[in-house]
């Protein structure tokens, strides 16, 4: 019966096509030409890409999967995602459980869409050894929402989707059955979304989180980094104004736009990027924030993006946007403040950064190659930074000192020295802010602070190696004598000087309070305590003999007091060599108050079977023992102190209490054996 029906339908189709062909032949030639021209016009107006229908197994909600079949009707119904030989027709309640437990429960999610498992004969079966396909056997699979390929395993589908994400290929790029209609590309080339941070609006491309595909890379997790860099620039703007500052890797331009929008006439911002897409996006973001672009052509405003009345107002600031390589522009022009934030390591740009930076200027370096910095790829670390490292309990501070060492070597090659103002190592990045000191004498002083570190792999005691000392005699521990073999290794060379400047951090905290940056104020307070190696309580209630300001409960110390230095020069002229030397000489006496290097983790050195004291209590016990102590931002359980590891453990053992089981055992033993 089915064969007769198919034959009849085929015959009717042939008759209809024949009638249509006869009508086309009888029609006049001019009518056919008009129809052909209309068809050509329609083909030109429509996009050339073919639209792919979304498979029925891809749904957004469970209700959409249940709507594929009428579950409210009576009678038996078949599963829309299973063939009849696999799942026979059943009643509605059983079919609903089948859809939930078999198809929906093992879905793969991508951008809000759920790809349910499908048992239909969509895949081409592999032939057997004889060349025939096995009948009645179909493999369960998933349909990719991006490229419509079928994949059997769920883990393989997850990996397949990750490859699409890394390439910047999303569901909107391929599927033509989306609910959102697609329009012609915008002047920037792609659709975008607007994000606001610190009062600055920036537009982002859809693939802004995948740097392999999108040039305008933007990372929301780097907000802390951007605010720390902003505060360091605000402190420099208080010293001299106006200053030339460079954002060498603009991407979306958000960092340079924040500088210009909040610091206004105190800074002259230059944003560069090597990508044409990034330069166009930066210029459009300038228009979005009512900032005039200097050096780039005039661009008409885009209607939907402009706020009403904004075009008639005067621009709040001026920013120079240039399409140029970072090394080239740093060789051509001098700057007071340079920020380097490439994707990965920044060692390739340090030589150019120190070439033309002005005296007492600031260079901030952000390194995001955490795999090599945190000792996950030692061969890459040796290749980029020239350092030999191993995984230690203080690996984050080790990474910060390694980056500072690379910066110091690059400065010394240009006959310049550095003073480290700030070094922060968090989960996603390592930020180093240094002040540039010109002269070969300053370069020699900085080069002397590059030393090897001796690290004991058994107890993790560490000390910087001095010239002429043997490795085993340098460490205060006796692991090399009590244990067979060699226990110490040499790491580095690393920066052995201080990582923080207390006065600079206090003024950064004042800038954070002034610009309402509540997110980084606790971090800056911790850094201030760490730089002085003291607790927050003693910092707040300590003596204010050396300070003259109080902000947010913390004493704020300025770099120059009115008693020692005359009135500030607001003319914007550069300081002479004599004044610069005086500033350098004033910074030298603070060396006696340097914080001790590295820290100890209280959990790493805890005693087995003993309950440790609370961290704040333990800090108080160390202070009572006569040691300098503070917490550290590198590790929430770390303690920075000038005590040795043996002294640290002795205080920890003294104030640790035995556990309940050990106490009960000791009491039972004492009751059985009375004195």
């Amino acid at each position: 019966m089915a064969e007769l029906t198919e034959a009849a339908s085929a015959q009717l189709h042939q008759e209809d096509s024949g009638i249509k062909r006869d009508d086309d032949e009888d029609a006049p030639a001019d009518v056919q030409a008009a129809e052909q021209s209309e068809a050509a016009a329609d083909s030109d107006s429509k996009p050339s890409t073919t639209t792919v229908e979304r498979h029925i197994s891809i749904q957004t909600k469970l209700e959409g999967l249940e709507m594929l079949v009428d579950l409210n009707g009576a009678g038996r119904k078949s599963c829309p995602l299973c063939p009849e030989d696999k799942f026979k027709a059943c009643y509605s309640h059983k079919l609903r459980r089948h859809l939930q437990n078999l198809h929906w429960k093992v879905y793969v999610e991508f951008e809000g869409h759920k790809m349910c498992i499908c048992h239909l004969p969509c895949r081409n079966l592999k032939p057997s050894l004889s060349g025939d396909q096995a009948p009645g056997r179909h493999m369960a699979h998933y349909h990719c929402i991006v490229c419509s390929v079928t994949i059997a395993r769920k883990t393989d589908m997850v990996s397949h989707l990750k490859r699409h994400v890394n390439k910047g290929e999303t569901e909107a790029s391929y599927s033509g059955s989306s609910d959102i209609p697609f329009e012609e590309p915008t002047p920037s080339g792609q659709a975008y979304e607007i994000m606001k941070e610190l009062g600055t609006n920036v537009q982002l491309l859809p693939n802004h989180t995948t740097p392999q595909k999108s040039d305008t890379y933007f990372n929301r997790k780097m907000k802390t980094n951007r605010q720390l860099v902003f505060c360091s620039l605000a402190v420099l703007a208080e010293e001299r104004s106006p200053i030339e500052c460079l954002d060498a890797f603009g991407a979306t331009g958000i960092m340079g736009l924040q500088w210009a929008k909040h610091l206004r006439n105190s800074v002259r911002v230059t944003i560069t990027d090597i990508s044409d897409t990034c330069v166009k996006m930066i210029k459009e973001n300038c228009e979005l924030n009512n900032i005039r672009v200097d050096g780039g052509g005039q661009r008409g405003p885009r209607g939907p993006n402009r706020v009403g009345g904004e075009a008639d107002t005067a621009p709040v600031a001026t920013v120079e946007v240039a399409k140029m390589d970072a090394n080239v522009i740093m060789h051509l022009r001098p700057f007071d403040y340079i920020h380097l934030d490439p994707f990965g390591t920044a060692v390739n740009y340090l030589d150019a950064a120190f070439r033309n930076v002005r005296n007492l200027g600031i260079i901030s370096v952000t390194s995001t190659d955490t795999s090599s910095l945190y000792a996950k790829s030692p061969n890459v670390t040796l290749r980029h930074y020239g350092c030999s490292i191993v995984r230690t309990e203080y690996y984050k501070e080790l990474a910060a000192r390694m980056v500072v060492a690379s910066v110091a070597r690059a400065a010394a090659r240009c006959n310049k020295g550095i003073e480290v103002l700030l070094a922060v190592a968090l989960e996603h990045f390592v930020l180093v802010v240094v002040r540039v000191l010109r002269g070969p004498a300053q370069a020699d002083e900085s080069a002397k602070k590059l030393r090897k570190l001796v690290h004991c792999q058994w107890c993790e005691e560490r000390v910087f190696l001095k010239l002429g000392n043997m490795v085993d005699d340098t460490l205060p521990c006796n692991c090399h004598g009590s244990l067979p073999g060699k226990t110490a290794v040499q790491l580095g060379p690393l920066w052995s000087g201080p990582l923080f400047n207390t006065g600079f951090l206090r003024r950064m905290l004042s800038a954070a309070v002034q610009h309402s940056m509540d997110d980084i104020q606790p971090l800056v307070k911790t850094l201030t305590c760490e730089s002085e190696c003291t607790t927050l309580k003693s910092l707040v209630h300590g003596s204010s003999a050396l300070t003259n300001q109080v902000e947010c409960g913390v004493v704020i110390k300025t770099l120059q007091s009115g008693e020692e230095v005359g009135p500030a020069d607001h003319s914007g002229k550069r300081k002479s060599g004599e004044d610069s030397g005086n500033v350098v000489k004033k910074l030298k006496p603070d060396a006696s108050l340097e914080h001790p290097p590295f820290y100890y983790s209280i959990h790493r050195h805890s005693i087995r079977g003993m309950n440790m004291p609370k961290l704040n209590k333990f800090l108080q016990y160390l202070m009572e023992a006569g040691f300098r102590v503070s917490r550290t931002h590198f590790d929430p359980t770390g303690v920075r102190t000038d005590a040795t590891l043996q002294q640290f453990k002795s205080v920890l053992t003294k104030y640790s209490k035995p556990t309940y089981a050990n106490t009960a055992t000791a009491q039972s033993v004492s009751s059985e054996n009375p004195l």
Side-chain angles (χ1 to χ4, degrees), residues 225-375:
N225 176 271
R226 288 187 287 268
Q227 292 185 353
L228 289 173
V229 172
F230 177 87
C231 290
S232 64
L233 177 61
V235 172
L236 182 63
E238 294 176 359
E239 298 178 3
R240 50 189 182 186
S241 176
I243 58 175
E244 297 279 348
C245 51
L246 171 66
D247 182 8
F249 300 89
T252 59
I254 181 169
M255 188 170 293
L257 296 179
Q258 289 176 352
W259 298 349
K261 195 167 186 178
H262 292 275
L263 300 179
R264 302 294 176 92
N265 297 329
S266 300
V267 295
R268 296 173 182 172
V269 182
T270 302
I271 307 176
T272 63
D273 204 286
I274 196 62
S275 171
D276 293 326
T277 306
C278 290
V279 172
K280 292 179 182 179
M281 183 67 70
I282 293 170
K283 292 179 179 179
E284 293 175 0
N285 288 334
C286 289
E287 296 177 0
L288 196 63
N289 293 276
N290 196 22
I291 296 177
R292 188 169 67 89
V293 179
D294 187 14
Q298 296 291 335
R299 297 173 58 86
R302 291 163 59 177
N305 301 334
R306 301 288 291 185
V307 182
E310 188 181 22
D312 300 334
T313 60
V316 297
T318 302
V319 170
E320 180 181 354
V321 181
K323 179 184 179 298
M324 193 176 299
D325 185 78
N327 285 324
V328 175
I329 193 171
M330 287 188 292
H331 273 288
L332 294 177
R333 293 175 48 186
F335 292 97
D336 298 284
Y337 189 97
I338 298 176
H339 176 62
L340 302 177
D341 186 10
F343 183 74
T345 180
V347 294
N348 299 327
Y349 307 94
L350 295 177
D351 291 333
F354 282 99
R355 178 67 61 183
N356 277 338
V357 64
R358 291 192 174 103
N359 190 28
L360 297 181
I362 292 179
I363 294 179
S364 59
V365 180
T366 300
S367 301
T368 55
D369 53 333
T370 53
S371 61
S372 59
L373 290 174
Y374 293 164

Side-chain angles (χ1 to χ4, degrees), residues 385-567:
Y385 298 95
C387 297
S388 301
I389 60 173
V390 295
R391 185 78 172 191
T392 62
E393 64 170 331
Y394 51 93
Y395 66 95
K396 288 188 176 181
E397 184 170 351
L398 203 66
R401 292 186 178 275
M402 188 164 49
V403 175
V404 176
S406 300
V407 173
R409 283 193 294 268
R413 286 191 290 268
C414 299
N415 286 334
K416 295 181 178 69
I418 63 169
E419 177 199 1
V420 183
L421 304 176
L422 171 67
V424 176
L426 297 179
E427 182 181 359
H428 307 286
F429 66 91
V430 175
L431 173 64
V432 171
V433 181
V434 299
R435 190 187 294 273
V436 181
L437 308 175
R438 280 192 174 182
Q442 305 298 333
D444 294 340
E445 290 294 330
S446 299
K448 290 179 182 178
K449 296 180 180 179
L450 301 180
R451 301 179 184 177
K452 288 276 190 175
L453 180 73
V454 183
H455 170 80
C456 180
Q457 298 187 85
W458 183 259
C459 66
E460 298 213 26
E461 178 64 292
R462 77 296 306 233
V463 66
F464 280 107
L465 181 64
K466 297 180 181 180
L467 297 178
N469 288 351
M470 299 297 293
V471 175
D472 292 340
D473 297 335
T474 302
L475 285 171
C477 65
N478 59 349
C479 297
H480 60 279
S482 59
L483 297 173
K486 298 289 185 178
T487 61
V489 293
Q490 288 190 12
L491 309 180
L494 305 171
W495 174 261
S496 61
L499 296 178
F500 313 100
N501 183 285
T502 306
F504 191 84
L505 288 173
R506 290 176 183 272
R507 291 193 293 159
M508 280 185 60
L509 180 59
S510 178
V513 174
Q514 179 182 355
H515 295 281
S516 302
M517 297 182 181
D518 300 333
D519 297 336
I520 65 168
Q521 290 182 23
L523 176 60
V524 178
K525 290 180 183 180
T526 304
L527 295 174
T528 306
C529 298
E530 193 172 357
S531 64
E532 293 187 342
C533 197
T534 182
T535 58
L536 182 61
K537 184 177 180 180
S538 60
L539 178 67
V540 174
H541 301 286
S543 174
S544 60
L546 299 177
T547 58
N548 57 356
Q549 295 183 27
V550 177
E551 291 286 349
C552 195
V554 178
V555 181
I556 306 300
K557 176 183 177 182
T558 57
L559 183 64
Q560 299 176 352
S561 61
E563 299 176 357
E564 298 178 354
V565 183

Side-chain angles (χ1 to χ4, degrees), residues 20 23-24 27-42:
K20 186 175 181 180
D23 293 342
D24 292 342
D30 54 350
V31 175
Q32 295 182 4
E35 292 178 355
Q36 292 177 0
S37 62
E38 291 177 2
D42 293 339

Side-chain angles (χ1 to χ4, degrees), residues 91-142:
Y91 291 103
S92 300
H93 65 280
K94 186 177 180 181
L95 181 58
R96 182 179 283 107
R97 289 198 306 267
H98 169 77
L99 292 174
Q100 293 177 357
N101 297 332
L102 180 64
H103 297 285
W104 181 262
K105 192 174 182 179
V106 291
Y107 66 79
V108 178
E109 186 174 3
F110 182 74
E111 293 186 354
H113 297 276
K114 279 78 173 177
M115 290 165 278
C116 304
I117 194 167
C118 175
H119 292 270
L120 296 175
C122 306
R123 292 171 58 88
N124 295 327
L125 299 179
K126 293 183 179 180
S128 60
L129 297 177
S130 60
D132 300 330
Q133 294 183 350
R137 185 166 173 259
H138 300 288
M139 183 181 297
H141 56 273
Y142 295 90

